[in-house]
Amino acid sequence: MNFRIIDIEKDKDFLIKFRKDTYIQSFGTEEGFDEIAYLNRMEERINKCPSGQLIVEEDNSSIGQIGLGIDIYCGTQIGYINLIYLLSEYRGKGLGKDLISYAENFFRDMNVSEYHLRVSPTNERAIQLYTNLGMVKLMEENEEHPVLRMRKILSCDT
């Protein structure tokens, strides 16, 4: 598995396809997904933290995406996973664990000791993965759709 920084122009079609699929996986529909707003948000994230906005590749094919950044939560600087995505045929093969490991190393390199993500409460497979990797549920948040906020405190020696 390889990671490369997203190039909006080159990766536009993948970004839209991947994000639409996450809507369907999380909320059962892609209704409410705005392609232009999403691409604009991605451009902002790339400008803010390019090394955290990555296409995941295997054998020179784009198979997923990961979005990492630094955020402030309750006055504390934390790592934040905006997106972890793999094409359906790559799920259930241990790659999600590899993506989380990559994210944790990224956050350690950025000198943050805690990270969060949000996940749909209906995405049981993802919740199980995150729980197995040491994340805990903090609370349910209701932005546009209800989501669970999960977090993990990173140990210094891992």
Side-chain angles (χ1 to χ4, degrees):
M1 206 167 33
N2 298 313
F3 300 88
R4 67 169 174 77
I5 294 174
I6 290 172
D7 175 329
I8 292 280
E9 289 306 312
K10 177 181 176 185
D11 299 318
K12 178 180 170 180
D13 292 340
F14 288 119
L15 297 174
I16 291 168
K17 175 184 175 181
F18 294 167
R19 188 63 180 137
K20 278 183 178 178
D21 191 37
T22 63
Y23 259 68
I24 293 166
Q25 295 298 313
S26 296
F27 312 118
T29 179
E30 65 181 62
E31 187 177 325
F33 175 68
D34 181 334
E35 292 180 12
I36 294 170
Y38 180 64
L39 292 174
N40 289 337
R41 196 165 54 250
M42 283 304 304
E43 191 167 344
E44 289 172 12
R45 289 178 182 159
I46 290 167
N47 289 337
K48 187 176 179 182
C49 186
S51 62
Q53 309 309 310
L54 306 165
I55 291 291
V56 181
E57 295 180 324
E58 189 166 88
D59 299 325
N60 294 318
S61 294
S62 297
I63 65 164
Q65 179 182 343
I66 188 165
L68 310 171
I70 305 301
D71 207 352
I72 301 295
Y73 181 77
C74 295
T76 301
Q77 186 173 329
I78 63 163
Y80 189 78
I81 299 177
N82 292 297
L83 180 67
I84 288 187
Y85 176 80
L86 288 168
L87 290 169
S88 61
E89 59 267 30
Y90 292 92
R91 297 177 195 153
K93 299 177 185 239
L95 299 178
K97 183 178 178 180
D98 294 340
L99 295 179
I100 293 291
S101 178
Y102 183 94
E104 290 182 358
N105 288 329
F106 176 88
F107 294 137
R108 283 187 187 95
D109 289 347
M110 299 296 276
N111 296 313
V112 293
S113 58
E114 173 179 342
Y115 71 93
H116 295 198
L117 57 74
R118 291 185 186 123
V119 60
S120 169
T122 61
N123 193 342
E124 295 172 8
R125 191 175 188 176
I127 293 168
Q128 186 65 46
L129 170 68
Y130 303 147
T131 302
N132 288 346
L133 294 174
M135 297 195 80
V136 296
K137 296 174 192 172
L138 280 181
M139 68 183 77
E140 184 172 306
E141 297 177 339
N142 194 347
E143 294 187 343
E144 188 176 338
H145 302 280
V147 292
L148 297 176
R149 180 179 280 265
M150 299 184 75
R151 83 167 187 192
K152 183 174 179 181
I153 306 295
L154 297 171
S155 62
C156 296
D157 58 346
T158 310

